[in-house]
Amino acid sequence: RTRRVKDARTEAQREIDDYRQQKDDEFKKFEKEHTRGNKKAEEDASRDAEEQLQAIRAAGDKSGHKVIGDLLKAVTDVQPDVPDRVSAPAQA
């Protein structure tokens, strides 16, 4: 009787191991099939981002000096104007 119980345990453990191996293989196959699409999407996104960065750099190289000059001029050449909604101070 003890031998039959031991044999049954051994058989059950073998079946469990076989089932686990089968499920691991199925998961690896599933993962392999579905990660391929993710890698392609990542490559496409990286390529698009790089193209956009190059366009931004080209625009900066083309007109960056003018923009900086305009900003510096706007900051250094202050021309205060009284808004229309504020009454001008009385002239003494």
Side-chain angles (χ1 to χ4, degrees):
R1 176 180 171 176
T2 305
R3 189 172 52 102
R4 282 187 288 172
V5 171
K6 188 175 180 181
D7 289 344
R9 276 192 196 144
T10 305
E11 180 65 25
Q13 188 62 43
R14 190 173 333 130
E15 287 178 9
I16 290 170
D17 292 340
D18 290 343
Y19 182 75
R20 181 176 291 138
Q21 184 64 42
Q22 176 189 355
K23 289 300 178 182
D24 284 345
D25 292 342
E26 288 176 12
F27 176 73
K28 287 177 184 176
K29 180 182 175 186
F30 176 83
E31 191 175 36
K32 184 178 178 182
E33 290 174 358
H34 290 82
T35 56
R36 199 172 335 142
N38 290 342
K39 287 182 182 180
K40 183 176 180 342
E42 288 176 13
E43 291 171 359
D44 291 344
S46 295
R47 191 176 314 113
D48 290 343
E50 188 60 37
E51 290 173 2
Q52 290 176 358
L53 283 174
Q54 289 175 355
I56 291 169
R57 286 184 186 122
D61 291 342
K62 181 179 177 183
S63 61
H65 298 294
K66 182 181 181 307
V67 171
I68 291 173
D70 290 345
L71 285 172
L72 288 174
K73 183 179 177 187
V75 171
T76 56
D77 296 338
V78 178
Q79 298 175 358
D81 291 329
V82 177
D84 293 337
R85 65 176 188 256
V86 176
S87 60
Q91 299 272 334

